[in-house]
Amino acid sequence: MILFALKFLIAPLRSIAWRFLKYKIRRDFPTVQQLDTETLAHWLEQDQGKVQLIDTRQKEEFLVSHLPHAQHIPDVETAQAKLNPEQTIVAYCSVGYRSSRLAQQLQGLGYNQVWNLEGSIFQWANEKRPLMRDHQQLTERVHPYRKNWQWLLKDS
């Protein structure tokens, strides 16, 4: 009975938390374009080589899982060395804050086609979209960033 009550309460709280997080990210990074997961999935379906998909999380997070075809690029120095500023860049992290920060830094360096994946890997996973481990194996696991963030993942 208690477990049922908890599940009943968590879904609305999760929804409110997501709305707040997205609002905060948009407020803190007003120049960063936000891209929804459905649009990214469509872009990747059409031509994955057209999009430079970058995972801005820490290495240990990336090793647990990442979006298909993503490169691990946790900082602006690595980004400058590996990315083509003439191509579309989509950055993501756990919920979108770290990736928005990196997208903003890249904009400041003259990268014009930079997007943040709104909701990032947590939302992608919550929508049951494919995740990879080692660029080869499908997985459903997601590193929760910090333990107190894992409740934003539906299947945590």
PDB file of all heavy atoms in Angstrom, residues 56-87:
ATOM      1  N   THR A  56      28.467  15.676 -22.686  1.00  0.00           N
ATOM      2  CA  THR A  56      29.310  16.568 -21.885  1.00  0.00           C
ATOM      3  C   THR A  56      29.485  16.087 -20.447  1.00  0.00           C
ATOM      4  O   THR A  56      30.080  16.793 -19.631  1.00  0.00           O
ATOM      5  CB  THR A  56      28.733  17.999 -21.869  1.00  0.00           C
ATOM      6  OG1 THR A  56      27.490  17.997 -21.167  1.00  0.00           O
ATOM      7  CG2 THR A  56      28.521  18.516 -23.282  1.00  0.00           C
ATOM      8  N   ARG A  57      29.003  14.894 -20.150  1.00  0.00           N
ATOM      9  CA  ARG A  57      29.107  14.369 -18.786  1.00  0.00           C
ATOM     10  C   ARG A  57      30.525  13.890 -18.491  1.00  0.00           C
ATOM     11  O   ARG A  57      31.380  13.849 -19.366  1.00  0.00           O
ATOM     12  CB  ARG A  57      28.113  13.214 -18.598  1.00  0.00           C
ATOM     13  CG  ARG A  57      26.661  13.643 -18.787  1.00  0.00           C
ATOM     14  CD  ARG A  57      25.707  12.463 -18.755  1.00  0.00           C
ATOM     15  NE  ARG A  57      26.052  11.500 -19.796  1.00  0.00           N
ATOM     16  CZ  ARG A  57      25.788  10.191 -19.723  1.00  0.00           C
ATOM     17  NH1 ARG A  57      25.176   9.687 -18.671  1.00  0.00           N
ATOM     18  NH2 ARG A  57      26.136   9.384 -20.704  1.00  0.00           N
ATOM     19  N   GLN A  58      30.750  13.492 -17.261  1.00  0.00           N
ATOM     20  CA  GLN A  58      32.036  12.930 -16.870  1.00  0.00           C
ATOM     21  C   GLN A  58      32.218  11.546 -17.514  1.00  0.00           C
ATOM     22  O   GLN A  58      31.240  10.877 -17.859  1.00  0.00           O
ATOM     23  CB  GLN A  58      32.126  12.815 -15.341  1.00  0.00           C
ATOM     24  CG  GLN A  58      32.073  14.153 -14.625  1.00  0.00           C
ATOM     25  CD  GLN A  58      33.232  15.052 -15.028  1.00  0.00           C
ATOM     26  OE1 GLN A  58      34.371  14.623 -15.102  1.00  0.00           O
ATOM     27  NE2 GLN A  58      32.921  16.308 -15.308  1.00  0.00           N
ATOM     28  N   LYS A  59      33.456  11.128 -17.636  1.00  0.00           N
ATOM     29  CA  LYS A  59      33.786   9.858 -18.301  1.00  0.00           C
ATOM     30  C   LYS A  59      33.032   8.674 -17.684  1.00  0.00           C
ATOM     31  O   LYS A  59      32.511   7.825 -18.402  1.00  0.00           O
ATOM     32  CB  LYS A  59      35.312   9.615 -18.221  1.00  0.00           C
ATOM     33  CG  LYS A  59      35.783   8.417 -18.979  1.00  0.00           C
ATOM     34  CD  LYS A  59      35.730   8.653 -20.455  1.00  0.00           C
ATOM     35  CE  LYS A  59      36.442   7.537 -21.216  1.00  0.00           C
ATOM     36  NZ  LYS A  59      36.396   7.734 -22.647  1.00  0.00           N
ATOM     37  N   GLU A  60      32.963   8.626 -16.333  1.00  0.00           N
ATOM     38  CA  GLU A  60      32.284   7.488 -15.696  1.00  0.00           C
ATOM     39  C   GLU A  60      30.792   7.450 -16.032  1.00  0.00           C
ATOM     40  O   GLU A  60      30.195   6.377 -16.101  1.00  0.00           O
ATOM     41  CB  GLU A  60      32.511   7.458 -14.183  1.00  0.00           C
ATOM     42  CG  GLU A  60      32.089   8.687 -13.432  1.00  0.00           C
ATOM     43  CD  GLU A  60      33.178   9.761 -13.326  1.00  0.00           C
ATOM     44  OE1 GLU A  60      34.210   9.672 -13.998  1.00  0.00           O
ATOM     45  OE2 GLU A  60      32.947  10.711 -12.558  1.00  0.00           O
ATOM     46  N   GLU A  61      30.181   8.596 -16.263  1.00  0.00           N
ATOM     47  CA  GLU A  61      28.776   8.635 -16.676  1.00  0.00           C
ATOM     48  C   GLU A  61      28.635   8.120 -18.108  1.00  0.00           C
ATOM     49  O   GLU A  61      27.748   7.322 -18.414  1.00  0.00           O
ATOM     50  CB  GLU A  61      28.238  10.063 -16.578  1.00  0.00           C
ATOM     51  CG  GLU A  61      28.166  10.619 -15.173  1.00  0.00           C
ATOM     52  CD  GLU A  61      27.822  12.094 -15.169  1.00  0.00           C
ATOM     53  OE1 GLU A  61      26.617  12.410 -15.136  1.00  0.00           O
ATOM     54  OE2 GLU A  61      28.754  12.926 -15.214  1.00  0.00           O
ATOM     55  N   PHE A  62      29.517   8.595 -18.984  1.00  0.00           N
ATOM     56  CA  PHE A  62      29.505   8.203 -20.392  1.00  0.00           C
ATOM     57  C   PHE A  62      29.706   6.692 -20.548  1.00  0.00           C
ATOM     58  O   PHE A  62      29.082   6.064 -21.405  1.00  0.00           O
ATOM     59  CB  PHE A  62      30.606   8.968 -21.141  1.00  0.00           C
ATOM     60  CG  PHE A  62      30.682   8.662 -22.609  1.00  0.00           C
ATOM     61  CD1 PHE A  62      29.816   9.274 -23.501  1.00  0.00           C
ATOM     62  CD2 PHE A  62      31.632   7.782 -23.106  1.00  0.00           C
ATOM     63  CE1 PHE A  62      29.884   9.000 -24.866  1.00  0.00           C
ATOM     64  CE2 PHE A  62      31.713   7.501 -24.464  1.00  0.00           C
ATOM     65  CZ  PHE A  62      30.834   8.121 -25.348  1.00  0.00           C
ATOM     66  N   LEU A  63      30.558   6.106 -19.720  1.00  0.00           N
ATOM     67  CA  LEU A  63      30.851   4.680 -19.828  1.00  0.00           C
ATOM     68  C   LEU A  63      29.651   3.798 -19.481  1.00  0.00           C
ATOM     69  O   LEU A  63      29.528   2.683 -19.986  1.00  0.00           O
ATOM     70  CB  LEU A  63      32.047   4.304 -18.949  1.00  0.00           C
ATOM     71  CG  LEU A  63      33.394   4.846 -19.428  1.00  0.00           C
ATOM     72  CD1 LEU A  63      34.483   4.551 -18.401  1.00  0.00           C
ATOM     73  CD2 LEU A  63      33.764   4.291 -20.796  1.00  0.00           C
ATOM     74  N   VAL A  64      28.745   4.301 -18.638  1.00  0.00           N
ATOM     75  CA  VAL A  64      27.541   3.529 -18.287  1.00  0.00           C
ATOM     76  C   VAL A  64      26.603   3.469 -19.490  1.00  0.00           C
ATOM     77  O   VAL A  64      26.084   2.405 -19.833  1.00  0.00           O
ATOM     78  CB  VAL A  64      26.828   4.132 -17.058  1.00  0.00           C
ATOM     79  CG1 VAL A  64      25.471   3.482 -16.831  1.00  0.00           C
ATOM     80  CG2 VAL A  64      27.704   3.983 -15.821  1.00  0.00           C
ATOM     81  N   SER A  65      26.381   4.616 -20.133  1.00  0.00           N
ATOM     82  CA  SER A  65      25.556   4.668 -21.334  1.00  0.00           C
ATOM     83  C   SER A  65      25.664   6.045 -21.970  1.00  0.00           C
ATOM     84  O   SER A  65      26.051   7.020 -21.320  1.00  0.00           O
ATOM     85  CB  SER A  65      24.091   4.360 -21.025  1.00  0.00           C
ATOM     86  OG  SER A  65      23.544   5.336 -20.166  1.00  0.00           O
ATOM     87  N   HIS A  66      25.312   6.089 -23.246  1.00  0.00           N
ATOM     88  CA  HIS A  66      25.304   7.342 -23.988  1.00  0.00           C
ATOM     89  C   HIS A  66      24.364   7.179 -25.176  1.00  0.00           C
ATOM     90  O   HIS A  66      23.953   6.057 -25.511  1.00  0.00           O
ATOM     91  CB  HIS A  66      26.716   7.721 -24.460  1.00  0.00           C
ATOM     92  CG  HIS A  66      27.434   6.611 -25.147  1.00  0.00           C
ATOM     93  ND1 HIS A  66      27.231   6.289 -26.463  1.00  0.00           N
ATOM     94  CD2 HIS A  66      28.323   5.704 -24.683  1.00  0.00           C
ATOM     95  CE1 HIS A  66      27.980   5.256 -26.797  1.00  0.00           C
ATOM     96  NE2 HIS A  66      28.652   4.870 -25.719  1.00  0.00           N
ATOM     97  N   LEU A  67      24.012   8.270 -25.810  1.00  0.00           N
ATOM     98  CA  LEU A  67      23.180   8.210 -26.993  1.00  0.00           C
ATOM     99  C   LEU A  67      23.987   7.614 -28.143  1.00  0.00           C
ATOM    100  O   LEU A  67      25.220   7.781 -28.188  1.00  0.00           O
ATOM    101  CB  LEU A  67      22.680   9.604 -27.381  1.00  0.00           C
ATOM    102  CG  LEU A  67      21.410  10.088 -26.680  1.00  0.00           C
ATOM    103  CD1 LEU A  67      21.575  10.208 -25.193  1.00  0.00           C
ATOM    104  CD2 LEU A  67      20.950  11.396 -27.271  1.00  0.00           C
ATOM    105  N   PRO A  68      23.324   6.914 -29.072  1.00  0.00           N
ATOM    106  CA  PRO A  68      24.046   6.348 -30.207  1.00  0.00           C
ATOM    107  C   PRO A  68      24.813   7.425 -30.979  1.00  0.00           C
ATOM    108  O   PRO A  68      24.306   8.529 -31.201  1.00  0.00           O
ATOM    109  CB  PRO A  68      22.927   5.763 -31.080  1.00  0.00           C
ATOM    110  CG  PRO A  68      21.812   5.501 -30.120  1.00  0.00           C
ATOM    111  CD  PRO A  68      21.898   6.595 -29.099  1.00  0.00           C
ATOM    112  N   HIS A  69      26.040   7.115 -31.342  1.00  0.00           N
ATOM    113  CA  HIS A  69      26.925   7.966 -32.146  1.00  0.00           C
ATOM    114  C   HIS A  69      27.442   9.199 -31.408  1.00  0.00           C
ATOM    115  O   HIS A  69      28.002  10.092 -32.030  1.00  0.00           O
ATOM    116  CB  HIS A  69      26.257   8.383 -33.459  1.00  0.00           C
ATOM    117  CG  HIS A  69      25.650   7.233 -34.197  1.00  0.00           C
ATOM    118  ND1 HIS A  69      26.400   6.248 -34.799  1.00  0.00           N
ATOM    119  CD2 HIS A  69      24.359   6.886 -34.382  1.00  0.00           C
ATOM    120  CE1 HIS A  69      25.598   5.358 -35.338  1.00  0.00           C
ATOM    121  NE2 HIS A  69      24.357   5.706 -35.097  1.00  0.00           N
ATOM    122  N   ALA A  70      27.257   9.251 -30.100  1.00  0.00           N
ATOM    123  CA  ALA A  70      27.740  10.411 -29.334  1.00  0.00           C
ATOM    124  C   ALA A  70      29.247  10.309 -29.103  1.00  0.00           C
ATOM    125  O   ALA A  70      29.795   9.223 -28.942  1.00  0.00           O
ATOM    126  CB  ALA A  70      27.026  10.500 -27.991  1.00  0.00           C
ATOM    127  N   GLN A  71      29.880  11.480 -29.067  1.00  0.00           N
ATOM    128  CA  GLN A  71      31.286  11.590 -28.697  1.00  0.00           C
ATOM    129  C   GLN A  71      31.345  12.116 -27.265  1.00  0.00           C
ATOM    130  O   GLN A  71      30.541  12.966 -26.890  1.00  0.00           O
ATOM    131  CB  GLN A  71      32.005  12.613 -29.578  1.00  0.00           C
ATOM    132  CG  GLN A  71      32.013  12.339 -31.048  1.00  0.00           C
ATOM    133  CD  GLN A  71      32.698  13.492 -31.762  1.00  0.00           C
ATOM    134  OE1 GLN A  71      33.884  13.737 -31.579  1.00  0.00           O
ATOM    135  NE2 GLN A  71      31.927  14.214 -32.560  1.00  0.00           N
ATOM    136  N   HIS A  72      32.312  11.654 -26.513  1.00  0.00           N
ATOM    137  CA  HIS A  72      32.494  12.174 -25.159  1.00  0.00           C
ATOM    138  C   HIS A  72      33.354  13.433 -25.241  1.00  0.00           C
ATOM    139  O   HIS A  72      34.541  13.355 -25.545  1.00  0.00           O
ATOM    140  CB  HIS A  72      33.148  11.129 -24.249  1.00  0.00           C
ATOM    141  CG  HIS A  72      33.354  11.626 -22.872  1.00  0.00           C
ATOM    142  ND1 HIS A  72      34.600  11.753 -22.308  1.00  0.00           N
ATOM    143  CD2 HIS A  72      32.463  12.064 -21.945  1.00  0.00           C
ATOM    144  CE1 HIS A  72      34.457  12.247 -21.088  1.00  0.00           C
ATOM    145  NE2 HIS A  72      33.178  12.429 -20.852  1.00  0.00           N
ATOM    146  N   ILE A  73      32.743  14.584 -24.983  1.00  0.00           N
ATOM    147  CA  ILE A  73      33.431  15.874 -25.041  1.00  0.00           C
ATOM    148  C   ILE A  73      32.991  16.686 -23.815  1.00  0.00           C
ATOM    149  O   ILE A  73      32.016  17.424 -23.865  1.00  0.00           O
ATOM    150  CB  ILE A  73      33.125  16.621 -26.356  1.00  0.00           C
ATOM    151  CG1 ILE A  73      33.612  15.769 -27.529  1.00  0.00           C
ATOM    152  CG2 ILE A  73      33.746  18.004 -26.353  1.00  0.00           C
ATOM    153  CD1 ILE A  73      33.448  16.374 -28.888  1.00  0.00           C
ATOM    154  N   PRO A  74      33.711  16.543 -22.703  1.00  0.00           N
ATOM    155  CA  PRO A  74      33.273  17.151 -21.444  1.00  0.00           C
ATOM    156  C   PRO A  74      33.640  18.621 -21.244  1.00  0.00           C
ATOM    157  O   PRO A  74      33.172  19.236 -20.298  1.00  0.00           O
ATOM    158  CB  PRO A  74      33.981  16.286 -20.399  1.00  0.00           C
ATOM    159  CG  PRO A  74      35.243  15.877 -21.078  1.00  0.00           C
ATOM    160  CD  PRO A  74      34.877  15.695 -22.529  1.00  0.00           C
ATOM    161  N   ASP A  75      34.468  19.184 -22.127  1.00  0.00           N
ATOM    162  CA  ASP A  75      34.893  20.576 -21.899  1.00  0.00           C
ATOM    163  C   ASP A  75      35.148  21.290 -23.220  1.00  0.00           C
ATOM    164  O   ASP A  75      35.238  20.675 -24.279  1.00  0.00           O
ATOM    165  CB  ASP A  75      36.149  20.620 -21.011  1.00  0.00           C
ATOM    166  CG  ASP A  75      37.280  19.776 -21.565  1.00  0.00           C
ATOM    167  OD1 ASP A  75      37.666  19.983 -22.734  1.00  0.00           O
ATOM    168  OD2 ASP A  75      37.772  18.893 -20.829  1.00  0.00           O
ATOM    169  N   VAL A  76      35.274  22.594 -23.126  1.00  0.00           N
ATOM    170  CA  VAL A  76      35.406  23.422 -24.325  1.00  0.00           C
ATOM    171  C   VAL A  76      36.725  23.177 -25.061  1.00  0.00           C
ATOM    172  O   VAL A  76      36.773  23.244 -26.287  1.00  0.00           O
ATOM    173  CB  VAL A  76      35.175  24.918 -23.983  1.00  0.00           C
ATOM    174  CG1 VAL A  76      36.353  25.510 -23.239  1.00  0.00           C
ATOM    175  CG2 VAL A  76      34.866  25.719 -25.226  1.00  0.00           C
ATOM    176  N   GLU A  77      37.776  22.856 -24.338  1.00  0.00           N
ATOM    177  CA  GLU A  77      39.067  22.586 -24.990  1.00  0.00           C
ATOM    178  C   GLU A  77      38.966  21.343 -25.882  1.00  0.00           C
ATOM    179  O   GLU A  77      39.443  21.342 -27.030  1.00  0.00           O
ATOM    180  CB  GLU A  77      40.184  22.405 -23.954  1.00  0.00           C
ATOM    181  CG  GLU A  77      40.522  23.654 -23.176  1.00  0.00           C
ATOM    182  CD  GLU A  77      39.558  23.944 -22.019  1.00  0.00           C
ATOM    183  OE1 GLU A  77      38.801  23.031 -21.601  1.00  0.00           O
ATOM    184  OE2 GLU A  77      39.549  25.099 -21.548  1.00  0.00           O
ATOM    185  N   THR A  78      38.376  20.286 -25.368  1.00  0.00           N
ATOM    186  CA  THR A  78      38.187  19.074 -26.156  1.00  0.00           C
ATOM    187  C   THR A  78      37.277  19.354 -27.341  1.00  0.00           C
ATOM    188  O   THR A  78      37.514  18.878 -28.454  1.00  0.00           O
ATOM    189  CB  THR A  78      37.594  17.944 -25.282  1.00  0.00           C
ATOM    190  OG1 THR A  78      38.401  17.774 -24.121  1.00  0.00           O
ATOM    191  CG2 THR A  78      37.511  16.632 -26.036  1.00  0.00           C
ATOM    192  N   ALA A  79      36.232  20.149 -27.110  1.00  0.00           N
ATOM    193  CA  ALA A  79      35.296  20.499 -28.178  1.00  0.00           C
ATOM    194  C   ALA A  79      36.007  21.219 -29.319  1.00  0.00           C
ATOM    195  O   ALA A  79      35.811  20.888 -30.489  1.00  0.00           O
ATOM    196  CB  ALA A  79      34.161  21.356 -27.623  1.00  0.00           C
ATOM    197  N   GLN A  80      36.834  22.180 -28.986  1.00  0.00           N
ATOM    198  CA  GLN A  80      37.544  22.938 -30.026  1.00  0.00           C
ATOM    199  C   GLN A  80      38.458  22.030 -30.846  1.00  0.00           C
ATOM    200  O   GLN A  80      38.619  22.237 -32.041  1.00  0.00           O
ATOM    201  CB  GLN A  80      38.362  24.060 -29.402  1.00  0.00           C
ATOM    202  CG  GLN A  80      37.514  25.229 -28.944  1.00  0.00           C
ATOM    203  CD  GLN A  80      38.384  26.348 -28.430  1.00  0.00           C
ATOM    204  OE1 GLN A  80      38.899  26.295 -27.324  1.00  0.00           O
ATOM    205  NE2 GLN A  80      38.542  27.364 -29.247  1.00  0.00           N
ATOM    206  N   ALA A  81      39.045  21.038 -30.207  1.00  0.00           N
ATOM    207  CA  ALA A  81      39.965  20.140 -30.901  1.00  0.00           C
ATOM    208  C   ALA A  81      39.236  19.131 -31.791  1.00  0.00           C
ATOM    209  O   ALA A  81      39.788  18.687 -32.791  1.00  0.00           O
ATOM    210  CB  ALA A  81      40.827  19.397 -29.881  1.00  0.00           C
ATOM    211  N   LYS A  82      37.987  18.782 -31.444  1.00  0.00           N
ATOM    212  CA  LYS A  82      37.314  17.679 -32.132  1.00  0.00           C
ATOM    213  C   LYS A  82      36.130  18.066 -33.008  1.00  0.00           C
ATOM    214  O   LYS A  82      35.692  17.263 -33.831  1.00  0.00           O
ATOM    215  CB  LYS A  82      36.839  16.647 -31.105  1.00  0.00           C
ATOM    216  CG  LYS A  82      37.963  15.901 -30.421  1.00  0.00           C
ATOM    217  CD  LYS A  82      37.405  14.792 -29.551  1.00  0.00           C
ATOM    218  CE  LYS A  82      38.527  13.931 -28.996  1.00  0.00           C
ATOM    219  NZ  LYS A  82      37.995  12.788 -28.246  1.00  0.00           N
ATOM    220  N   LEU A  83      35.568  19.255 -32.810  1.00  0.00           N
ATOM    221  CA  LEU A  83      34.325  19.588 -33.505  1.00  0.00           C
ATOM    222  C   LEU A  83      34.544  20.498 -34.704  1.00  0.00           C
ATOM    223  O   LEU A  83      35.425  21.347 -34.707  1.00  0.00           O
ATOM    224  CB  LEU A  83      33.346  20.258 -32.532  1.00  0.00           C
ATOM    225  CG  LEU A  83      32.895  19.407 -31.358  1.00  0.00           C
ATOM    226  CD1 LEU A  83      32.004  20.219 -30.427  1.00  0.00           C
ATOM    227  CD2 LEU A  83      32.166  18.157 -31.836  1.00  0.00           C
ATOM    228  N   ASN A  84      33.699  20.321 -35.685  1.00  0.00           N
ATOM    229  CA  ASN A  84      33.682  21.188 -36.856  1.00  0.00           C
ATOM    230  C   ASN A  84      32.674  22.305 -36.598  1.00  0.00           C
ATOM    231  O   ASN A  84      31.478  22.043 -36.501  1.00  0.00           O
ATOM    232  CB  ASN A  84      33.279  20.376 -38.089  1.00  0.00           C
ATOM    233  CG  ASN A  84      33.202  21.208 -39.344  1.00  0.00           C
ATOM    234  OD1 ASN A  84      33.255  22.436 -39.318  1.00  0.00           O
ATOM    235  ND2 ASN A  84      33.062  20.536 -40.461  1.00  0.00           N
ATOM    236  N   PRO A  85      33.133  23.559 -36.497  1.00  0.00           N
ATOM    237  CA  PRO A  85      32.210  24.652 -36.194  1.00  0.00           C
ATOM    238  C   PRO A  85      31.193  24.931 -37.297  1.00  0.00           C
ATOM    239  O   PRO A  85      30.218  25.642 -37.076  1.00  0.00           O
ATOM    240  CB  PRO A  85      33.137  25.859 -35.994  1.00  0.00           C
ATOM    241  CG  PRO A  85      34.421  25.498 -36.636  1.00  0.00           C
ATOM    242  CD  PRO A  85      34.511  24.005 -36.636  1.00  0.00           C
ATOM    243  N   GLU A  86      31.379  24.334 -38.466  1.00  0.00           N
ATOM    244  CA  GLU A  86      30.451  24.548 -39.583  1.00  0.00           C
ATOM    245  C   GLU A  86      29.286  23.556 -39.566  1.00  0.00           C
ATOM    246  O   GLU A  86      28.327  23.725 -40.306  1.00  0.00           O
ATOM    247  CB  GLU A  86      31.203  24.435 -40.917  1.00  0.00           C
ATOM    248  CG  GLU A  86      32.361  25.403 -41.049  1.00  0.00           C
ATOM    249  CD  GLU A  86      31.945  26.856 -40.922  1.00  0.00           C
ATOM    250  OE1 GLU A  86      30.911  27.232 -41.517  1.00  0.00           O
ATOM    251  OE2 GLU A  86      32.648  27.617 -40.233  1.00  0.00           O
ATOM    252  N   GLN A  87      29.382  22.526 -38.737  1.00  0.00           N
ATOM    253  CA  GLN A  87      28.327  21.516 -38.663  1.00  0.00           C
ATOM    254  C   GLN A  87      27.431  21.746 -37.448  1.00  0.00           C
ATOM    255  O   GLN A  87      27.825  22.404 -36.485  1.00  0.00           O
ATOM    256  CB  GLN A  87      28.926  20.117 -38.555  1.00  0.00           C
ATOM    257  CG  GLN A  87      29.376  19.535 -39.867  1.00  0.00           C
ATOM    258  CD  GLN A  87      29.753  18.075 -39.680  1.00  0.00           C
ATOM    259  OE1 GLN A  87      30.709  17.771 -38.993  1.00  0.00           O
ATOM    260  NE2 GLN A  87      28.985  17.193 -40.309  1.00  0.00           N
TER     261      GLN A  87
END
